Amino acid sequence: MTVNTRAFYAPLLAAGSAGSLFAAFLGVPAGWALLWSGLLLPLLALVARWSPARPGAVAASLGVAAVALWPVPLMWGAASWLEICGAAAFWAVPALGALAAGGHLRRQASRMRRAVRDGRRDQQLELARDLHDFVAHDVSAIVVQAQAARFVADQDPEQAVRALERIEAAGLGALASMDRTVHALREAAGARSASVPGTSELPGLVERFEGGVLDADPTAVRELSREADTTAYRVAVEALTNVRRHAPGAAIVRVRLHRVAEGIELSVANSAPARGAGGLRGPVRRRSGTGLAGLRGRVEAAGGTLRAGASADGGWRVRAVFPAQGRTLG
């Protein structure tokens, strides 16, 4: 059985303070009274650092009183009230200093715990965003391809086989995303983060998307910072995922990555859905804090801007602009 000695600091200080006051007023020699008061100073610091607020406040009040009042009985009748109050104030200074030292250490420890808690929360949010941005994309592809295969299986078995191949590829992509997330969860504190895909993987991403067309300028890719590169890939994944969810009838989805006057632009635009799905409007109405609305802050943190809206042909267009490396957007 483990005994928490910190729980005894406040009672020990309270008992010591009461004993010091009692002894001082009984006429204990000045040397012993001073020594006893000096022993209370480290206890004051320990109480301020470790004790719970309520019992610690009571014990600290008794401790300050004991240290400040120990010379009062020696001066009684031989000094004026002003001199007695001055002596008490003088001896209260080291007691208050001990409390301040313990309180400072307490505040520093509290700030450290809060920083660790905030860091863990940020890591959890990061993992949640990774799961949404990457795994949800591949899972939605599996669902859509499975539905398509079910409808064409009888009339066109060859199309069903191709759909199954795309399901396999999407499943492997989902497993890879899960592996990255699990790897991040298993990392020791301070270890390097698991690698996050960037725009170099856009060709494979668009190739797995039926109707996807990619137009990427290699020069523009090289001018993206690492943070902007991974964020641009996340935007593309989220936009394509929402095309599947909200505009499954769109015949063409164009993904472009090229230089513009403001910097490097990534755009994902789907044509008008053939079945009246209404375009890529889901992220704007979403309440979960994820999706394109959730990526807006990430894009802005990378120095860019994110906009989404209806296109002239009745479809939907998502546009993210990042500064070229070494520049910032005005």
Side-chain angles (χ1 to χ4, degrees):
M1 181 177 179
T2 303
V3 178
N4 184 6
T5 58
R6 298 169 184 173
F8 294 101
Y9 290 151
L12 185 60
L13 176 61
S17 301
S20 175
L21 288 170
F22 186 71
F25 282 95
L26 282 180
V28 172
W32 287 104
L34 177 60
L35 177 61
W36 199 328
S37 298
L39 293 176
L40 294 178
L41 294 178
L43 274 177
L44 278 167
L46 289 171
V47 165
R49 171 64 181 91
W50 297 110
S51 294
R54 185 171 297 178
V58 174
S61 300
L62 287 173
V64 171
V67 175
L69 298 178
W70 80 266
V72 171
L74 303 177
M75 302 173 65
W76 199 267
S80 65
W81 278 104
L82 184 60
E83 290 174 328
I84 291 175
C85 291
F90 175 81
W91 285 104
V93 171
L96 295 176
L99 283 178
H104 175 71
L105 293 176
R106 190 186 192 107
R107 284 193 301 272
Q108 291 297 102
S110 177
R111 289 175 183 172
M112 184 176 297
R113 287 193 300 269
R114 186 163 55 249
V116 171
R117 185 170 60 249
D118 291 344
R120 287 175 178 172
R121 183 187 61 199
D122 292 342
Q123 185 182 38
Q124 290 168 351
L125 291 174
E126 182 74 16
L127 292 171
R129 284 192 291 265
D130 285 348
L131 283 172
H132 175 273
D133 293 343
F134 301 131
V135 179
H137 169 76
D138 293 317
V139 172
S140 64
I142 293 172
V143 173
V144 171
Q145 294 298 333
Q147 290 173 339
R150 182 163 57 88
F151 283 116
V152 302
D154 293 335
Q155 292 82 8
D156 193 346
E158 186 177 346
Q159 287 287 345
V161 170
R162 284 199 290 269
L164 290 173
E165 291 174 352
R166 288 191 289 269
I167 289 172
E168 180 185 12
L172 292 173
L175 287 174
S177 299
M178 289 296 294
D179 286 342
R180 282 194 298 269
T181 304
V182 172
H183 178 68
L185 286 169
R186 289 177 176 173
E187 283 182 336
R192 189 175 179 179
S193 298
S195 60
V196 178
T199 53
S200 61
E201 298 191 25
L202 278 177
L205 176 70
V206 177
E207 183 181 356
R208 295 193 300 269
F209 193 90
E210 189 172 2
V213 178
L214 175 64
D215 177 14
D217 181 0
T219 304
V221 172
R222 288 194 294 270
E223 291 181 353
L224 286 172
S225 66
R226 176 59 181 164
E227 183 181 8
D229 185 62
T230 58
T231 303
Y233 182 81
R234 288 175 183 270
V235 173
V237 168
E238 178 63 26
L240 292 174
T241 300
N242 282 283
V243 170
R244 285 199 179 101
R245 290 176 176 173
H246 306 289
I252 298 176
V253 180
R254 299 186 184 277
V255 180
R256 296 191 66 204
L257 181 65
H258 60 105
R259 172 178 274 283
V260 294
E262 303 97 315
I264 309 301
E265 178 191 82
L266 170 78
S267 65
V268 180
N270 62 280
S271 60
R275 294 184 294 173
L280 188 61
R281 301 177 187 269
V284 179
R285 298 195 299 263
R286 230 201 267 273
R287 297 181 183 177
S288 63
T290 56
L292 290 179
L295 285 176
R296 189 180 303 277
R298 185 186 290 272
V299 171
E300 292 174 354
T305 58
L306 178 69
R307 293 184 177 88
S311 55
D313 62 355
W316 197 259
R317 183 170 183 253
V318 175
R319 180 177 182 263
V321 180
F322 301 92
Q325 207 161 19
R327 297 174 52 199
T328 57
L329 292 179

